[in-house]
Structure formats: structure tokens, C-alpha cells
Amino acid sequence: MSLDKTIKGLKTSFSKELSKSKSSQDLENLRIKYLGRNGQLASLFEEFNKLPAPEKPRFGKELNILKNQLTDQYQNALGSNSENSASSDVDFSLPGYDLPDGNIHPLEQITSEIKSIFQSIGFSVAYGPEIDDDYHNFEALNVPKHHPARDMQDTFFINPNAVLRTHTSNVQIHLMENQDPPLRHICCGRVYRNEAVSYKSFCLFNQVEGLVINETSSFAEMKGTLEYFVQEMFGKDTKMRFRPSYFPFTEPSAEVDIWNSKLNQWMEILGCGMVNPNVLSNVGYDNEKYQGFAFGMGIERIAMIKYGIKDIRLFYQNDKRFLEQF
Amino acid sequence: MKVSLHWLRRFVDFDFTATELAEKLTMRGFESEVVSDFDSLENLVVGDVLTAEKHPDADKLKLCSVSDGSETFSVVCGAPNVDAGQKIVFAKVGAVLPGDFKIGKAKIRGVESFGMICSERELGISEEHDGIMVLDESHKAGTPIKEVLGPLFNAIDIEVTPDKAFALSHRGIAREVATIVGCKLKTPINSVKLNPKSKDVVSVELDKKGGCTRYIAGTMKGVKVGPSPKWLAEYLKSVGQKSINNLVDISNFMLLEIGHPTHVFDLKKLAKPGIKVSWAKMGEKFDALDEETYELSTDHMVITDTKNTVALAGIIGGMDSSVTDSTSEVLIESAYFDPVVIRKGSKKLNLLSEASRRFERGTDPNAALEAFNMIVQLMQEVAGGTLESVITDECSMSLDNTSVDLSSEKLLKYAGQEIPSKDVESILKGLHIDAKKTKTGWKCSIPTFRTDLKVETDLIEEVFRCYGYDNIKSSFNYSSIMQYANDEESTISSLKHHLSSLGFHQSYNNSLEDVEEVKLFGKDAVSVMNPSSERMNTLRTTLHSGLLKNLDFNYRNGSANTLIYEYGTIFEGKTDKLEDIIQKSSLSCLVHGDVFSKNVHFDSIPASFAFLKGVASNIFEDKRLGIKVKFSEQKHHYCDPYFSIIDGKKQVIGGLGIIKDSLLKQLDIAHKHEVVVLDVDPEIFTDYGSYSTKVEDIVTFPIVQRDLNFKMDSSIQVGEVVKTMKSVNQSILQNVIPVDIYQSKKDTSTKDVLFSLNFQSPKKTLEDNDVNAIITEIINIVSKKFNAKLRDN
């Protein structure tokens, strides 16, 4: 019977103390005293364990009710307490979690942007080896050995017949060797030039090249395609011009400049031209039947223009203070 | 190539300023930059140096008073040659010199200076910068400089592409200018018939194997070496070249005038007045005009006087036979050499000359005779000699125009629009191409100076170029239904974005590294034969090397926390043969420091092995891959420990490890915590695209959670315990998670591990009994297998 009393007494003293508890610290003390692991309720349960079996069901029920009541009362008090004192206890002015901030490299961002512009007009993307034989990098592209055009691209040699590709055009050759027209592809990847490293040139850079071969693609279509690209990439109002140039693998060839109104000058952004018939015959295409155009651009150059970057080496230094800006 | 407007006007009349000309030529395919355009220079006048005294506060400076005719200015000048009484080029305050060099008021060593006295280099005239440019006394102070220097020194720089050999001279460029203004080319030197004084003949013998297919030679006597006349020196000066003496100047002048290289030998230094063109002997030594000695090989074509080598054909003359101040008799050579022979020869010696640059691009065989005649005429006029011998002209090549057909259909197909026939014809005519109308188009007779026009597309390019690319209207006809645009790397791209959203920075590192560093990573590396620097002579065999450099760089710049990755190609090769070289795409991550730094909310979360292991599971156990990975410990060259990541098919698809301190030390990588790397084989992601989602039913029955706390030997691997627990039941035991490990400081031989077990059945609400049986079994097995003891909760 004494247990009955104890239950009642506990109930009353708990309520009394609860009504006096003001701060959350008071409440916590109360919780420990009554509901804690070594609290009064716990010792009641211990006593309960000592009871003879027949008495257990009744007191078990009572104790459970008591436990629920006290817990509920405590929870309610805690709830109203935290509602009242929310602004005083939690400092909402603290900064939120500083989540790690990752990024995609600026060159990758530009590449993706270029890819998606061309994918939107049906270009597939092709890849190929960075080390290739002389044939795929030069000869098949109408750059014979001992031709002055070889000076246009300073080359790293792996052996006398294998080079670090100087452009991604080798991918175009592989593509045409394995596939019949029509073709509408871009190729992208790293290319290498044996040039002194400085703020404006690096020993490698990234390129995107395009190739369209079918029975009708003309110079006019090349212009239309590249105008679309420039407008998508640099904005609808971008002023651009095509001017004649020379590449061994295209004829007629052109270079595309866009107007930089800040610097008040033309800036070269890509080269293009009608695919030289020799290139087509080298891969076994009928160059009377098929024609088309090709173009190529350097990603670093475009990124430098777009982001106002003055030193190309920044792209390969991976300074967090640089990367975090993208 | 520097081109003088003054010189161009020998051939063609035009009104363009240098700036306008550069623009017009650029749009014709001759990329041009202005070197000096005096017409555009303001505030530049003839100045009169009234006084020039020592600067009060500097030994090497002078304080001058300069008059512009109406006012006098105080100017500080550093040139040693400035003197009172000189007429000079005076840049007033506000002038902008070539190279965007703005002249403002300046205080130099305490003295105010109002303007500048210019050197030739500052004006873009030549490289002369040792002193100021002194003008002729006849000029009046105050005269705008454009009137004084403009006529002579307006110049542009043209980048002539390798195909346009015909444009490597003033006449070549003038031809182009003539087509722009639509006028005829003038002939500044009229060819007259040359009559030799004697009947002497210079014998010329060509090699039968080719290489040299035309050689014209003749001798002159009574030549007097001396200074060049003013007009000749001025032309050379207009392109920034110094006058040396009349003989040398004439040869240089001819090269720049019509683009055909010639050579003048001192006749008295030749064994006899005879020439034999042949191939060099292997290892033959040759003393060239540039005072270098070259070792020749059998690829080199040489000119001999039948006894000795006197010139390296088409590249450079010999020292011993060169003209000097005492020369009075000369042998003049004007020849045609095979472009490939000259190219090979010059490349082999790494010796480029003005002559070789022209021969290797292809010269006009007819210009050989023209150049010879002109040079003799000029010599007679300037150096006073007379033609002695009969002109020998050994020629085994065709000197006729070639013929190329241009079809109007092809032109239309290429352009994508009609170019009117009359435009085509007038363009061709302007280019000195005689075009005869045929049924299908035109039969074009190509002049020999256009060595670049061989096939139909060459002509199409000429037509487009002159018609104007701007005049070809663009067309855009991509329909809305496009062929399927495929990109095998699109899945890698989503992986990159995934990593970035986890907080990783993407790196782009140089593929070329130092062989000594590459070696440390212990693979067969591929090297470059001709590196630009020893620091970049070998291709990377792993992405780790670059990522470590990034860690080091950022650590030293104040950022210890590094989460980076790179996707790129790595290279390996047992030999340098292409078929032995493996080049494959690779993706690696590197972490160091903290993912989250300690802050007001919680303690730091380190970028540890466990973090990167979590990243690995997160990447590989992507639903779209359907891979369950295992980590299997392996020996590794520079990681300890290192775990291969293995998929269900037992294929290695990645790796995870901690970089050994020894490597970090060797590479001197700044760090303070463990450096962990993760490799991911990108190939497995190419199947990503084929995954199609099948939704599983959501289990709505409640999850039953139980905790088990075991005391076990410290050496026991918790992962093994988890594996064992999981093996007990695979139907309702959903997961086992180690939630706490406790090791008392007193007894380090054991540890307490708290496991949380989740049970759920897809079929029913679990009863205690369902779970208890499994729990009991787990306790039994774990207790036995690991000698672990269940602890009370």
C-alpha cells in the first residue's frame, strides 16, 4: 500500500516543483530528479521489481500511467517554456552551417556551354587519342612532311612518327575513317604546342572542333552555323566578321573575329573553312560528291575573353581563390 | 613581314593611310598590323633644339629647350647624341606614339619636362634606340611630322601565311593592293636587253636527281663597292633595314622588291667561273656568311665552284666566297630550288634565312631571270660594273603557265549562292589569271608566280576572298527535328557535377611533368623527345601528381582544407612505340584537412579516409550503376593502406588509399593531416545511360530497431563483425550500423562497440519473437567468432 502513497506523493511534489520551474535549467533539473536514469521514478520501478508477482500487474499499470503523466507534464512545460523564451535561448543571428562549396573548372564550364550550343543543332560529340601518329595529326589533314605549314604548330614528338596532337583534328580523321557521311560532329579535348610558357601561351590548351560533311553543306551554311554559335555564346548583338585565312586542311579558310567594345578591337576566336578535298580523299570519301566545313576554337582563349582573365597559366594552377570564383 | 607604303607606291598608286591599308589587306587574308601610321599621329612636329645642357641633378640626362616654331618647351632627354641646333622629332604633351605610348607632362629628377624627343624605335621606324632621330636641317620647326616622316616611314607588318609565297615581297603585296583599288601594276625597273662585254661563259652543271631545276649565272667586272645612293638606302630604311654597302644593299633590295632571292659571289675567290650544283658529302663542314660552321649531310644541296662548296643552296652563302670591300668582280646567281629540298636542309640545321623562307614556300621560276636582269641593271647603275659573261641559263623545268578548270556549278555548290559570272571574271583578271569561258565554267591560265594555285578549290578560295566573305550571305537551316546528338562523356559530366556539389573543386593540371617526379609514382612513363623545358618532359602516369601539387600550392597559400578532383588522360608505355602506349581517361579525388571546420554549431569533420570512403560508396552505389562495392586491401607503391574497389563481377573499378609520408616528403608537399586519394574508373559510367528506373514498392510495415553492445578485442575489425551479423539473416535484417566505439583509457586491449540493428519485413508487422530469434543467433555467432562478450545496455 505504501507504494500507492509514494505514487501520489511523487505526483504532487512533481506538480509543485514544476509550477515553480521558470528557466529551462530548472526544467532540466526537474527532469533529472524525477525522470532521469537515477531519478525518483526509476527507483519506484526498482521497488516495483521487488514486488511479489500477483501485485505486479496493478502497480505496473499505475506506474506506467504515472510515468506518462509526468512525462507529458514535463514535455508541455518544456514546450511552453521554449515558446516563451525562444528568442533568449537560441541565437538566430549565428551563421548557418558553412557547407563546402565545390565548383566546375571554368574551362569545363566553357566546354560544356559550347557543347550544348552545338548539340542543340544536332552535333554529336567525339573523342580521340592525345598521342597519335604523324599521319592522323598531319598527313591525312593535308600537311605533308617538309611543308612550311608544319611551322604553324610547334609540335612535341614522342617518337619521330608519334606526336602529342597539335589539334583535335586527328579525331576528325578517325571519325571519317570509321563512318560514312553524313557527319555532324564536334570533337573536344586537350592539344599540345611546343611553345614557351607565358601569360599568353601554355604548352597545352583545350580545343573544340566541328565537322560537317554531306552533299550540300556550303560556305553560306558554315557562316550561318558559326553566327548562331557566336550569338548563343557571346550574345545576340555580338558584332563579328569572317576574314580569309589559311589552314592546310580547309579551303577556302576563314578566321572569325568578334568585336570587343571594351578594348575597341577585333578579337580572333575561331578558325574555319570548307574541308579540303584532299582530306576527304585521304579518308576514302568521294570528294566530288561530298563536301562540308570544319571549324576549331581554343577554350582558354574564349574563357579569357568571357571572364576577363589575363594570364592563361591561372587555368592550370588550380588556386582555390581563382577556382572559387566560378 | 614589314611592308613600307612608300615602297608599295613604286608599284601602285593608292590613297589609303597605313591603318586603312592594314584593314583592307586583313580582310583579303593578309593579317596586317600597323607599325607606324604618321597620318594618325597628332602633336608630333619638327622641333628645333635651341639649347642642350646638362641636367642639374643627373649626369646622363640633358635639359633641352625645344622650339616648335612658335613656343619653346623645356624637355629632359636621355639621348647622348642630342645637341643644340638639331632638328628633331618632338612629341608634345598629348601625343600618342606607336604602341599606345602616351606623352604627358613629367617631372624627371626634379625638373619638369614638357614632351619628348623621339628615337627611331619610339616612332616604329627601326630598332635604333641608342640615340634620338636627327632630321635634315632643311625642315622647318613646327612642321607636322606626318609631312616629314609619313611619306617615307608609314609601314605595316603583314603575317603572310605559308601558302602565299607570292606575297613575300613589295611587288606581291602591291599586286593585291592593285586588285583592291582596281588599277594596273607599274613597272619600276624596265628590263633592257643586256649585252655582255665578252664571250666568256660560266659553265653551270645541275644535279640530275633534281633539287635545282633552274640556275642562271653571269659575271660582272669593274664593280666598285661603296655606300649606296640615298634612294636605295631610304627604301631599306623604310622597312627598318640598315644600309651596308651598295652590293649587299642591291641584293637585299631585290629580295624585298620582287621576292626572288639571289646570291652574289666574289668571282676572284672562286676556283674558276664555273658552278656545279650537287649534294653535300656526309659530315662536310661549311663556313657560312653568318660566321657559323655547319655540318652538312647528304640531304643538303650545295653550290660548288667545281672544287669547293661556296654556298648552301637556297639557304646561305659561304664565308670564303662572300663579297667584301675589295670586291671588284662578281658572279651573280639566280636560281630555282625545290621547296622540299630547301625545307629539309634548313630544318636539319635549324637555319632559317630570308632566302630559305622564300624558296621553301615555292618561288616563281620566271622571276629567276627577271631578278638576274634587274640585279645586273642595278649593279651597273649603282656600283658601276658591266656584264662580262654571256648569261648562262640552265633550266630543266617548265616555265609555262599551268591550267586549272573552275566549274560554275562547283562554285555555286561551295558558296551556297550565286556569284555573278562577271564578278568571277573580273576577280580572276585582277589576279592576273587569264580565264576563258567554257561550257561548264572557266579554263584558267595560272601565272607562274602563283605557285599556290593548283586545283579548283584554290581558285574558289581566290574568288571568295576577293568577292568578300561578307558578301556571301549566311544560311541557317537546322530543322527542329535533329539527328540524335550523342556524347559518351555526358555521364562523366554528371559525375563531375555530383562531386562538385559534395564540395569538390575541379582541377585542370598540366599533363607534362618532370621525369624525376613522374618516376616516384612508379610506372612506365612516356617522355617527349623535344621538351620545351626539363620540368615538362614526361607525360603524367597518374592524376595524383597534379592533385598533390594543387594541395601544396593551396596549403602554402593559406588554405589547408582541400577537396579536389581531376578528370583527364594519363599515359603509360613500356616503349615509345604508339602501339605500346596506353592512354586512358582517369578520375581521381584528393582530400586533406577538414570537410567542415570547427564552428559554433559542431566540431570539425575531417576530410579523412572514412570521408573519402563514403564518397566512394556514394559514387559507386548510385542506383543507375547498380553496383555493390567491396574494398579489398592491396599493396601499393606509394599508398599505405590502399584498397582496391571491386564490383560484383570482381572487377577493379577504383581504389582508395592514404599517400605515404615518404612520397609527400620526396615531393615536398606541404600538409598536416593524412592525404587521401580515390581513383574512379570512368569507364563504368558509360553504361549509366542504359539504366532505366524500376520503382520498388515502399514497405509500410514498421521498422524494429535493436541495439547490441559487445566488448571485444581491440584488434578486431568492426567491418568484419558487421559482415558476420548481416550474414545471419538476409530477409528481415535490413541494416547493421556501428554507432559507437568506446575504449577505456585503462584497458586498451578491448573496446566496446555499440551496433544498431534495423529489422523490417515487407510482409507483416514484426513481433518480438521474429526478431529475438535472430538476435540470439547473432549474439552466439559473434561471441564465438570474435570472442566478444555481450554487454548490458
Side-chain angles (χ1 to χ4, degrees):
Chain A
M1 287 308 273
S2 63
L3 204 56
D4 266 335
K5 243 188 206 159
T6 327
I7 288 172
K8 234 178 225 162
L10 195 73
K11 227 171 161 177
T12 336
S13 63
F14 181 83
S15 296
K16 226 188 234 167
E17 283 183 44
L18 186 67
S19 64
K20 283 183 202 154
S21 300
K22 293 274 184 295
S23 69
S24 49
Q25 187 55 52
D26 293 341
L27 277 176
E28 180 60 10
N29 291 341
L30 185 77
R31 186 192 67 80
I32 293 165
K33 183 170 172 190
Y34 290 95
L35 300 166
R37 197 188 275 241
N38 300 311
Q40 298 192 8
L41 196 64
S43 43
L44 271 188
F45 272 96
E46 262 167 44
E47 277 181 48
F48 160 80
N49 279 334
K50 292 175 199 150
L51 287 179
E55 290 190 41
K56 272 193 174 165
R58 186 172 73 88
F59 280 107
K61 209 175 167 187
E62 294 243 343
L63 275 177
N64 273 329
I65 290 168
L66 176 69
K67 184 184 171 188
N68 289 339
Q69 277 176 348
L70 297 191
T71 313
D72 282 356
Q73 280 179 37
Y74 164 75
Q75 289 291 354
N76 282 339
L78 193 68
S80 61
N81 185 287
S82 71
E83 268 166 43
N84 293 337
S85 60
S87 50
S88 64
D89 272 19
V90 181
D91 184 354
F92 290 103
S93 72
L94 288 175
Y97 291 3
D98 185 15
L99 300 173
D101 188 17
N103 84 311
I104 295 286
H105 195 279
L107 294 176
E108 181 97 15
Q109 291 188 25
I110 296 282
T111 309
S112 306
E113 210 176 317
I114 295 169
K115 271 189 195 173
S116 63
I117 292 169
F118 284 108
Q119 282 176 308
S120 76
I121 50 173
F123 282 73
S124 288
V125 191
Y127 303 88
E130 290 178 29
I131 299 176
D132 212 336
D133 54 20
D134 188 272
Y135 178 79
H136 285 88
N137 193 74
F138 287 125
E139 271 185 70
L141 286 153
N142 200 33
V143 193
K145 276 201 171 89
H146 311 301
H147 192 281
R150 291 224 171 185
D151 290 343
M152 293 171 85
Q153 301 175 345
D154 293 315
T155 311
F156 284 120
F157 287 89
I158 298 299
N159 69 48
N161 194 38
V163 299
L164 276 166
R165 65 178 177 194
T166 53
H167 43 211
T168 52
S169 311
N170 66 326
V171 184
Q172 301 186 358
I173 298 298
H174 287 291
L175 200 66
M176 290 191 278
E177 282 173 340
N178 296 320
Q179 216 170 308
D180 288 329
L183 284 181
R184 191 192 293 160
H185 279 79
I186 52 172
C187 323
C188 51
R190 272 184 187 200
V191 303
Y192 299 80
R193 299 281 167 92
N194 194 347
E195 288 168 9
V197 173
S198 73
Y199 73 98
K200 58 180 181 181
S201 83
F202 200 61
C203 52
L204 58 89
F205 63 95
N206 286 267
Q207 214 176 31
V208 172
E209 287 193 327
L211 177 70
V212 175
I213 305 287
N214 54 45
E215 291 177 27
T216 58
S217 275
S218 63
F219 195 86
E221 193 181 315
M222 175 178 87
K223 278 188 72 179
T225 306
L226 295 171
E227 277 166 11
Y228 168 77
F229 164 73
V230 166
Q231 285 172 4
E232 291 293 309
M233 192 75 198
F234 298 99
K236 292 269 180 257
D237 302 326
T238 310
K239 210 168 106 189
M240 66 187 282
R241 69 177 187 187
F242 288 79
R243 63 180 160 80
S245 189
Y246 166 75
F247 305 108
F249 23 88
T250 53
E251 186 171 51
S253 303
E255 248 156 341
V256 175
D257 299 336
I258 59 170
W259 181 253
N260 185 320
S261 48
K262 268 186 214 140
L263 299 175
N264 226 19
Q265 65 184 41
W266 288 103
M267 298 191 103
E268 185 185 315
I269 53 153
L270 62 85
C272 59
M274 299 295 289
V275 177
N276 192 304
N278 291 343
V279 175
L280 298 178
S281 65
N282 284 341
V283 296
Y285 284 5
D286 176 354
N287 62 15
E288 283 299 318
K289 188 175 173 193
Y290 295 111
Q291 63 179 46
F293 59 88
F295 54 86
M297 63 195 97
I299 305 302
E300 280 79 349
R301 191 175 176 75
I302 290 178
M304 287 169 88
I305 293 174
K306 246 195 136 157
Y307 299 130
I309 295 167
K310 290 183 188 73
D311 189 336
I312 193 169
R313 291 168 295 195
L314 275 174
F315 292 119
Y316 295 92
Q317 199 163 42
N318 302 301
D319 187 330
K320 262 173 91 173
R321 297 165 294 187
F322 172 74
L323 295 177
E324 274 167 356
Q325 297 180 44
F326 296 93
Chain B
M1 184 178 67
K2 191 167 175 183
V3 169
S4 140
L5 272 66
H6 171 58
W7 203 325
L8 286 178
R9 289 197 170 96
R10 278 169 68 81
F11 296 97
V12 59
D13 292 320
F14 59 91
D15 294 328
F16 308 131
T17 63
T19 308
E20 288 163 350
L21 183 67
E23 171 71 18
K24 301 257 182 220
L25 285 170
T26 296
M27 292 310 283
R28 282 287 178 123
F30 298 89
E31 210 177 334
S32 305
E33 267 182 34
V34 173
V35 179
S36 33
D37 181 354
F38 287 95
D39 294 323
S40 72
L41 298 182
E42 302 290 332
N43 291 316
L44 232 64
V45 295
V46 175
D48 197 348
V49 182
L50 303 176
T51 58
E53 277 147 26
K54 201 178 97 48
H55 187 290
D57 218 16
D59 287 345
K60 288 190 174 163
L61 295 179
K62 276 183 188 151
L63 182 56
C64 310
S65 56
V66 178
S67 162
D68 71 348
S70 50
E71 263 186 87
T72 305
F73 300 88
S74 167
V75 178
V76 176
C77 180
N81 66 334
V82 69
D83 212 348
Q86 284 171 339
K87 292 278 170 44
I88 48 83
V89 180
F90 180 44
K92 297 211 250 182
V93 171
V96 182
L97 297 183
D100 213 21
F101 179 22
K102 295 186 181 80
I103 305 298
K105 211 165 66 174
K107 208 168 198 174
I108 301 163
R109 291 277 182 121
V111 177
E112 291 219 301
S113 178
F114 301 88
M116 189 175 88
I117 304 173
C118 306
S119 73
E120 291 190 0
R121 193 173 79 185
E122 282 152 354
L123 293 165
I125 289 172
S126 73
E127 283 308 302
E128 182 59 50
H129 194 54
D130 291 339
I132 54 153
M133 184 176 190
V134 180
L135 300 173
D136 199 274
E137 279 175 23
S138 61
H139 295 297
K140 238 184 97 195
T143 313
I145 282 298
K146 64 178 164 194
E147 289 171 21
V148 179
L149 296 180
L152 205 54
F153 293 113
N154 280 331
I156 59 174
D157 187 45
I158 305 180
E159 199 184 315
V160 179
T161 52
D163 60 322
K164 295 188 179 68
F166 67 92
L168 288 169
S169 68
H170 282 86
R171 185 169 70 179
I173 297 296
R175 278 199 192 105
E176 200 61 31
V177 177
T179 68
I180 297 170
V181 295
C183 69
K184 274 204 158 172
L185 210 65
K186 294 188 275 187
T187 318
I189 299 177
N190 272 312
S191 215
V192 292
K193 199 174 160 19
L194 298 166
N195 293 312
K197 247 174 115 181
S198 74
K199 285 191 174 146
D200 293 354
V201 174
V202 180
S203 69
V204 171
E205 192 187 338
L206 303 184
D207 192 273
K208 287 190 187 66
K209 282 190 292 175
C212 175
T213 41
R214 189 175 195 187
Y215 197 103
I216 302 163
T219 58
M220 288 185 83
K221 283 184 179 166
V223 176
K224 257 208 181 92
V225 179
S228 287
K230 191 175 169 221
W231 68 267
L232 180 55
E234 264 182 2
Y235 275 117
L236 292 173
K237 181 140 199 189
S238 73
V239 291
Q241 287 201 4
K242 267 194 187 144
S243 169
I244 296 164
N245 64 44
N246 51 6
L247 289 197
V248 177
D249 286 1
I250 287 169
S251 192
N252 288 341
F253 174 81
M254 286 310 302
L255 184 91
L256 297 167
E257 168 102 338
I258 67 165
H260 195 89
T262 51
H263 189 68
V264 181
F265 298 99
D266 188 328
L267 186 61
K268 286 185 182 159
K269 292 176 190 162
L270 301 183
K272 63 172 206 177
I275 293 292
K276 194 177 171 207
V277 183
S278 59
W279 301 93
K281 289 180 215 62
M282 197 67 197
E284 185 181 335
K285 296 270 196 306
F286 172 67
D287 295 327
L289 259 175
D290 61 359
E291 297 179 2
E292 299 277 338
T293 301
Y294 295 96
E295 189 175 319
L296 308 184
S297 67
T298 52
D299 286 347
H300 286 114
M301 178 146 262
V302 290
I303 311 295
T304 69
D305 59 4
T306 66
K307 255 178 137 178
N308 301 310
T309 295
V310 292
L312 184 51
I315 301 174
I316 196 164
M319 192 59 151
D320 297 339
S321 60
S322 65
V323 293
T324 60
D325 289 348
S326 59
T327 300
S328 63
E329 297 176 8
V330 293
L331 185 147
I332 299 167
E333 162 200 297
S334 184
Y336 177 90
F337 297 107
D338 182 89
V340 171
V341 170
I342 301 304
R343 167 84 184 168
K344 273 166 122 171
S346 123
K347 271 273 140 177
K348 208 158 202 170
L349 298 175
N350 200 14
L351 173 60
L352 257 170
S353 65
E354 287 297 322
S356 72
R357 193 152 82 99
R358 286 169 175 81
F359 281 123
E360 71 171 22
R361 280 165 171 74
T363 49
D364 174 7
N366 280 313
L369 185 58
E370 207 183 352
F372 183 87
N373 287 338
M374 285 186 187
I375 215 164
V376 172
Q377 264 175 261
L378 273 182
M379 288 259 199
Q380 288 176 346
E381 190 188 319
V382 168
T386 48
L387 181 66
E388 184 73 18
S389 73
V390 176
I391 300 167
T392 305
D393 183 357
E394 271 298 314
C395 181
S396 61
M397 70 193 296
S398 164
L399 301 173
D400 299 333
N401 283 7
T402 47
S403 174
V404 177
D405 289 338
L406 173 62
S407 106
S408 43
E409 192 197 327
K410 187 92 174 182
L411 192 63
L412 172 68
K413 214 180 144 198
Y414 251 58
Q417 70 174 58
E418 190 89 49
I419 295 176
S421 286
K422 64 171 186 22
D423 288 335
V424 175
E425 283 159 14
S426 98
I427 286 166
L428 294 173
K429 196 171 166 226
L431 295 170
H432 306 263
I433 295 166
D434 185 21
K436 283 204 179 64
K437 194 99 182 99
T438 63
K439 268 186 206 159
T440 52
W442 298 270
K443 195 172 188 59
C444 300
S445 171
I446 313 292
T448 49
F449 62 82
R450 287 307 298 266
T451 49
D452 57 323
L453 304 181
K454 296 192 187 90
V455 294
E456 191 175 26
T457 46
D458 297 334
L459 287 173
I460 292 175
E461 178 168 64
E462 290 303 297
V463 173
F464 282 17
R465 181 171 77 81
C466 297
Y467 186 65
Y469 284 2
D470 283 346
N471 293 323
I472 298 173
K473 302 271 167 302
S474 53
S475 74
F476 187 79
N477 36 22
Y478 294 95
S479 72
S480 56
I481 304 161
M482 279 297 149
Q483 72 184 74
Y484 175 62
N486 178 43
D487 178 7
E488 63 188 58
E489 281 197 2
S490 63
T491 54
I492 304 297
S493 175
S494 53
L495 176 61
K496 292 174 191 168
H497 282 273
H498 182 62
L499 284 167
S500 294
S501 68
L502 288 174
F504 283 81
H505 289 294
Q506 184 184 13
S507 279
Y508 265 51
N509 281 299
N510 194 348
S511 318
L512 289 166
E513 299 179 333
D514 187 334
V515 68
E516 295 305 322
E517 283 174 16
V518 175
K519 266 187 203 160
L520 298 176
F521 293 87
K523 284 185 181 144
D524 297 317
V526 179
S527 284
V528 173
M529 280 171 71
N530 55 334
S532 55
S533 106
E534 289 309 307
R535 300 277 301 152
M536 298 187 290
N537 55 8
T538 300
L539 286 153
R540 59 185 179 186
T541 56
T542 167
L543 298 176
H544 298 165
S545 48
L547 294 172
L548 283 168
K549 277 185 198 133
N550 303 154
L551 164 67
D552 180 69
F553 180 88
N554 284 303
Y555 190 97
R556 292 182 198 274
N557 283 285
S559 182
N561 300 338
T562 299
L563 274 66
I564 41 171
Y565 74 94
E566 181 170 7
Y567 173 74
T569 310
I570 54 173
F571 305 83
E572 262 185 74
K574 288 239 179 291
T575 75
D576 67 7
K577 284 203 194 91
L578 197 55
E579 56 269 28
D580 288 337
I581 295 173
I582 303 162
Q583 27 185 343
K584 59 176 182 191
S585 296
S586 181
L587 192 148
S588 295
C589 306
L590 178 147
V591 298
H592 173 268
D594 291 336
V595 185
F596 286 94
S597 301
K598 178 176 161 39
N599 61 70
V600 69
H601 303 290
F602 50 79
D603 257 353
S604 68
I605 295 180
S608 59
F609 179 87
F611 167 71
L612 205 50
K613 189 174 181 182
V615 171
S617 303
N618 185 281
I619 291 172
F620 287 115
E621 299 190 346
D622 186 305
K623 264 268 182 289
R624 285 171 290 185
L625 288 177
I627 295 178
K628 276 270 170 224
V629 294
K630 283 185 184 146
F631 295 85
S632 149
E633 186 158 6
Q634 307 283 333
K635 259 204 149 26
H636 193 274
H637 185 64
Y638 56 88
C639 285
D640 184 26
Y642 184 84
F643 296 84
S644 290
I645 304 175
I646 295 163
D647 70 359
K649 289 175 220 149
K650 301 218 161 112
Q651 275 173 317
V652 175
I653 55 171
L656 174 69
I658 298 174
I659 305 266
K660 284 183 191 168
D661 258 335
S662 54
L663 181 75
L664 297 176
K665 217 168 264 167
Q666 278 170 302
L667 289 169
D668 190 25
I669 304 294
H671 69 291
K672 65 172 175 187
H673 302 292
E674 61 188 19
V675 179
V676 195
V677 287
L678 167 68
D679 300 321
V680 174
D681 180 2
E683 243 177 58
I684 58 159
F685 290 90
T686 48
D687 294 339
Y688 237 37
S690 61
Y691 174 78
S692 66
T693 307
K694 273 218 183 80
V695 174
E696 288 170 14
D697 290 337
I698 293 166
V699 180
T700 52
F701 297 105
I703 293 171
V704 176
Q705 194 247 319
R706 291 288 178 87
D707 288 348
L708 288 175
N709 195 351
F710 282 102
K711 188 178 219 39
M712 61 184 82
D713 202 272
S714 289
S715 63
I716 286 167
Q717 299 207 320
V718 174
E720 292 302 310
V721 183
V722 170
K723 222 192 271 171
T724 304
M725 288 183 175
K726 280 184 177 172
S727 69
V728 170
N729 178 288
Q730 270 135 34
S731 61
I732 65 167
L733 176 57
Q734 301 298 343
N735 208 356
V736 179
I737 306 159
V739 287
D740 194 24
I741 298 176
Y742 171 78
Q743 193 159 36
S744 96
K745 279 185 185 127
K746 283 182 209 150
D747 177 16
T748 53
S749 66
T750 63
K751 61 187 170 191
D752 292 353
V753 186
L754 178 64
F755 297 89
S756 169
L757 289 74
N758 288 342
F759 296 88
Q760 189 185 32
S761 161
K763 293 182 198 132
K764 61 166 195 168
T765 302
L766 290 175
E767 307 281 333
D768 274 356
N769 286 344
D770 301 327
V771 173
N772 289 345
I774 296 169
I775 290 285
T776 313
E777 198 181 342
I778 285 175
I779 293 171
N780 281 338
I781 291 184
V782 170
S783 304
K784 258 188 226 148
K785 190 166 173 188
F786 299 101
N787 196 21
K789 235 177 90 190
L790 187 70
R791 287 179 55 93
D792 304 333
N793 281 2

